[in-house]
Amino acid sequence: MRLYYVRFTPALLKAHAMLRDARPSRRSVIIAGSAAVLAGCTTDGKSPQTSAQGSAGPSAGPSAPPVTAQITAPADGAANLPAAMEVAVAVANASKTEVVFLDPAGGRIAAVPHQVPGSWVPAQQLQYGTAYRAQVTATGADGTTATATTGFTTMNKPGNLAKVTTVVTDGQTVGVAMPFIINFGVDVAKDQRAAVQQRLSVVSEPPQEGAWNWFTPKEVHFRPKDYWQPGTRLTLRASLGGLPIGGKWYAEKDLTVALTVGRRFLMEVENRTHQLTVTQDGQVVKTMPVSNGRPANPSASGHMMIMIKNEWEWFDSSSFGVPSDSKEGYRMKVYWPQRLTWDGEYFHSAPWSVGDQGKRNVSHGCTNLSPANAEWLWKQTLIGDPVIIRNTEEHVKWGNGWTDWDVPWEQYVKGSAVPYQPPVPPSASPSASATPSA
């Protein structure tokens, strides 16, 4: 994956607005930041390839090199193409390149640079069974332009569409540890994961380094190298609708989600002292006694995060194979539960263990709190707030919950289907918009 640091200049913000206005959604998408492609619907053209010479503008001089533009794929008249297709463009001597798709009625769909250099993808999903034209316009520094077009037809809607979902909702405020998570309805073939990943873009304002990790064949995550900075604005754009993902399957739809990162709220449980310490923006705001899992059912240590919150849930031991009417079984209504792992670790209210909290571990694996403390904590947290539990008898297993932060960064990036390359800092390049890594 190519990674970028982005400096938002007036020109880049104008491109942002162009892309926003081209989409029917109220939210705009900038494909940039740590997600691997440039921003907006125009970009500097510096391809070494050449084609037909462009027309001279009013300021053209005799020594100005000719501006050229060419679409190298798809071939004019190509048919039965996936709706998630891209256009390969070659330009020379251009200071600006713009690519658009034109539908049968002449409507314009903005294009954005793909992570594969020289390729562009539509900023919104194309329709199935529809004829389109793609047009590239290259403009030189002296005002001369060159234009090329190609026509193609997308395939009919396939019968095997795999769902594409994410765990967050548009406009949500999340914790500083929150990864972007994309789930697929079927396994994504190993040889298709790089192509999928190259159509996933994350914008962070301010820019922050991040990487994708394939947790499972059906699930891919994106996290930053360090916790998100409080107040960061995030946008995920997954240009997947109609993309082949292996076998007979195609991704069902595109996704666009915008998030805001909240304050830095961290929960740390020390098993040796049976205490939970809560800090906000680096300051301790509350310390609470807890009771963790007893030796027969220890809580797991590790870096986790708040995954799911409910005001109450039924806790039933039969859900993990222990009959609720047995000696070790239970079925009870539990208040203020906050899930940490898929196998059932929570923060929750436990009035029955208040006398043990701060002294000894008596739970079945959860972190017990008093009713007042559990309610207070529940009302403070956001999905994606980090939780660190230390010095218990076992460690959380990878993938048992959102364990993105439980491995070092150097190990996390190995889960990318595209070889990870660190971004080039903005100071290393004079570019005013974005600087790609090598």
Side-chain angles (χ1 to χ4, degrees), residues 149-209:
T149 64
T150 190
F152 62 91
T153 303
T154 56
M155 66 187 296
N156 292 329
K157 186 176 181 178
N160 298 293
L161 292 174
K163 289 188 176 300
V164 181
T165 59
T166 184
V167 300
V168 291
T169 58
D170 194 44
Q172 187 172 345
T173 299
V174 297
V176 295
M178 186 68 200
F180 274 113
I181 300 172
I182 299 177
N183 294 293
F184 297 87
V186 299
D187 287 358
V188 176
K190 192 170 184 178
D191 62 358
Q192 296 297 318
R193 292 176 199 168
V196 168
Q197 192 173 315
Q198 286 170 335
R199 297 182 73 96
L200 306 177
S201 297
V202 172
V203 179
S204 68
E205 300 178 47
Q208 292 154 71
E209 182 179 353

Side-chain angles (χ1 to χ4, degrees), residues 334-397:
V334 175
Y335 290 89
W336 313 117
Q338 303 191 70
R339 183 182 282 271
L340 306 179
T341 69
W342 293 127
D343 68 356
E345 283 195 43
Y346 288 78
F347 288 150
H348 66 80
S349 171
W352 56 86
S353 70
V354 168
D356 300 298
Q357 293 166 21
K359 301 173 183 176
R360 64 190 67 87
N361 293 332
V362 297
S363 84
H364 289 84
C366 294
T367 297
N368 287 183
L369 296 130
S370 71
N373 285 335
E375 180 178 1
W376 178 88
L377 187 65
W378 191 94
K379 290 180 177 179
Q380 307 305 311
T381 57
L382 297 169
I383 299 301
D385 278 337
V387 174
I388 301 173
I389 299 177
R390 297 186 176 91
N391 298 313
T392 64
E393 293 86 347
E394 64 179 42
H395 198 90
V396 66
K397 294 180 174 59

Side-chain angles (χ1 to χ4, degrees), residues 35-56:
V37 288
L38 301 177
C41 53
T42 63
T43 186
D44 291 343
K46 297 182 180 179
S47 169
Q49 303 182 57
T50 62
S51 63
Q53 181 173 334
S55 60

